[in-house]
């Protein structure tokens, strides 16, 4: 059995060397796991992560480490393979919990996509379909490890529309909740999403209240059709057009109480010029929105997104 020497460069400049033995190609099929750790920085964290995985016969395939200067925090994300017969899923949870306690982790998560339940997600959308349709097609193609529990909208779609036909074909419930300025139907939305792991706002043009956020408590991911922190609020394409920008963009971020100010997960941009019209701004923006939201969801589901300071993220 050969010995593989791997060098892993961290964003802080640290270089980690680890020797991992290759697996016998005739052994049982291996499962793929992901582990993320966010904790106070200290000596020996990487060694303990490697020891935890190796002691159960696992092998690290890829590791990312980020230790920002003068912050006393440590971030890591490891992908590994293991034999489920030698490392049962319940034992893995115990081992990772022990690791988390040892380093006073603020966040420590292990996930085995082939064994663990898919994330349960609900989608909130308004009239515009482009982000919703793209998300549904990505789900259909197996590009996201999620189950869509429902689609909730303040727009009543016709039964013969392509969205409604898709949802009916895949038995995804559609809930039409007409909203007004006085009544955003948030109590009813909460009832519909109480069993979800997170929510996605696919161009949902209603502002969720502080009360809703406090009661839901889990992550909500939004797509904003503008390059935040510029052009917050309504009509960002119009704002950008009349500001004469040369780059337009889309931003996917976590929802917080302050409108369009949550931690950013992903951004995408495209060049524009004086030759572009407001219509071409909007068309280019819609294409960016679809790509940006999908990339953010993929990163989130693959445990690549971790909180950093008050309003930032680490995205491995």
């Amino acid at each position: 059995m050969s010995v593989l020497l791997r060098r892993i460069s961290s964003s802080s400049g640290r270089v980690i060397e680890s020797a991992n033995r290759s697996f016998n190609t005739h052994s049982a099929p291996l499962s793929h796991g992901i582990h993320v750790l966010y904790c106070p920085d200290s000596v020996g964290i990487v060694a303990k992560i490697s020891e935890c995985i190796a002691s159960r016969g696992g092998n690290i395939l890829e590791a990312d480490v980020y230790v920002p200067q003068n912050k006393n925090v440590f971030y890591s994300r490891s992908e590994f393979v293991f034999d489920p017969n030698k490392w049962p899923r319940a034992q893995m949870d115990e081992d990772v919990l022990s690791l988390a306690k040892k380093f006073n982790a603020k966040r420590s998560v292990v996930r085995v996509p082939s064994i663990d339940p898919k994330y349960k997600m609900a989608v909130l959308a308004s009239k515009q379909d482009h982000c919703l349709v793209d998300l549904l097609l990505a789900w259909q193609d197996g590009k996201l490890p999620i189950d869509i529990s429902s689609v909730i909208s303040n727009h009543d779609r016709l039964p013969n529309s392509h969205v409604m036909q898709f949802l009916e074909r895949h038995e995804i419930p559609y809930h039409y909740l007409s909203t007004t300025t006085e009544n955003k139907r948030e109590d009813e939305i909460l009832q519909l999403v109480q069993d979800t792991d997170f929510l996605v706002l696919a161009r949902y043009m209603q502002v969720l209240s502080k009360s809703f956020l406090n009661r839901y408590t889990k992550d909500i991911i939004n797509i904003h059709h503008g390059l935040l922190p510029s052009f917050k609020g309504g009509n960002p394409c119009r704002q950008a057009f009349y500001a004469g920008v040369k780059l337009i963009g889309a931003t996917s971020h976590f929802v917080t109480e302050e409108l369009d100010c949550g931690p950013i997960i992903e951004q995408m941009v495209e060049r524009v010029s004086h030759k572009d019209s407001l219509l071409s701004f909007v068309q280019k923006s819609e294409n960016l929105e679809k790509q940006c939201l999908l990339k953010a969801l993929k990163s989130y589901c693959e445990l690549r997104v971790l909180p950093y300071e008050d309003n930032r993220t680490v995205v491995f």
Side-chain angles (χ1 to χ4, degrees):
M1 298 175 67
S2 62
V3 175
L4 173 65
L5 184 66
R6 179 177 295 117
R7 293 174 62 84
I8 309 171
S9 297
S10 77
S11 300
S12 66
R14 293 184 179 181
V15 177
I16 307 143
E17 295 189 354
S18 62
N20 293 313
R21 296 190 178 277
S22 63
F23 280 87
N24 189 323
T25 56
H26 301 293
S27 61
L30 302 177
S31 293
H32 175 263
I34 305 169
H35 173 252
V36 294
L37 181 66
Y38 163 37
C39 64
D41 190 25
S42 66
V43 175
I45 301 176
V46 172
K48 286 298 182 182
I49 294 171
S50 299
E51 180 184 332
C52 175
I53 295 170
S55 66
R56 300 294 184 179
N59 190 46
I60 295 176
L61 300 179
E62 179 180 321
D64 288 295
V65 170
Y66 176 57
V67 182
Q69 291 185 357
N70 304 318
K71 298 293 184 181
N72 192 37
V73 290
F74 173 95
Y75 297 89
S76 74
R77 179 182 182 275
S78 306
E79 294 192 27
F80 59 95
V81 289
F82 68 101
D83 183 344
N85 295 317
K86 296 180 180 178
W87 199 7
R89 188 66 184 83
Q91 182 63 56
M92 182 182 293
D93 281 337
E94 289 183 20
D95 293 343
V96 169
L97 179 60
S98 176
L99 193 68
K101 289 179 177 179
K102 179 177 180 62
F103 293 108
N104 297 312
K106 297 180 180 180
R107 181 171 299 186
S108 178
V109 181
V110 65
R111 183 164 177 81
V112 182
S114 62
I115 297 175
D116 297 346
K118 292 182 178 180
Y119 291 107
K120 193 173 182 182
M121 177 191 84
V123 184
L124 278 70
S126 291
K127 185 175 181 179
Q128 291 179 296
D129 282 343
H130 58 284
C131 286
L132 174 61
V133 169
D134 198 64
L135 194 160
L136 291 173
L137 292 176
W139 168 80
Q140 178 182 248
D141 293 341
K143 295 178 180 178
L144 295 171
I146 58 172
D147 283 327
I148 301 176
S149 65
S150 64
V151 174
I152 303 166
S153 180
N154 61 335
H155 176 69
D156 191 13
R157 289 173 167 80
L158 296 174
N160 63 347
S161 68
H162 61 291
V163 169
M164 294 303 290
Q165 289 178 344
F166 182 99
L167 296 177
E168 183 178 359
R169 186 163 64 250
H170 292 281
E171 299 181 340
I172 300 173
Y174 182 84
H175 303 283
Y176 165 54
L177 299 176
S178 177
T179 59
T180 64
T181 304
E182 294 75 24
N183 185 5
K184 299 294 184 70
R185 311 290 291 273
E186 290 187 345
D187 290 339
E188 292 155 275
I189 294 173
L190 277 170
Q191 286 296 317
L192 293 170
V193 303
Q194 59 183 347
D195 294 328
T196 57
D197 296 306
F198 68 101
L199 302 180
V200 170
L201 310 186
R203 289 300 300 274
Y204 185 61
M205 307 308 287
Q206 300 291 317
V207 179
L208 298 175
S209 69
K210 179 181 179 180
S211 171
F212 181 94
L213 300 180
N214 289 339
R215 287 183 290 167
Y216 182 64
T217 71
K218 289 168 275 190
D219 289 331
I220 304 175
I221 297 173
N222 181 51
I223 182 67
H224 178 73
H225 46 307
L227 192 61
L228 295 175
S230 298
F231 311 123
K232 299 175 183 177
N235 297 312
C237 284
R238 181 180 291 274
Q239 294 181 53
F241 178 76
Y242 286 109
V245 301
K246 304 307 178 190
L247 286 173
I248 59 168
T251 304
S252 188
H253 64 95
F254 290 112
V255 174
T256 57
E257 182 182 348
E258 190 174 355
L259 181 64
D260 295 332
C261 288
I264 292 170
I265 304 169
E266 183 62 61
Q267 291 184 300
M268 292 186 178
V269 298
E270 183 171 338
R271 183 163 292 281
V272 290
S273 76
H274 58 279
K275 296 180 181 179
D276 280 284
S277 64
L278 180 55
L279 177 59
S280 66
F281 263 53
V282 172
Q283 290 171 336
K284 289 179 179 180
S285 175
E286 288 182 352
N287 187 48
L288 291 172
E289 292 160 40
K290 295 186 294 185
Q291 297 177 62
C292 187
L293 179 59
L294 190 60
K295 179 72 180 300
L297 290 178
K298 193 170 185 294
S299 295
Y300 181 83
C301 292
E302 292 177 353
L303 303 183
R304 296 183 182 276
V305 184
L306 291 166
Y308 177 37
E309 296 186 328
D310 293 334
N311 203 44
R312 298 167 66 185
T313 57
V314 169
V315 182
F316 284 120

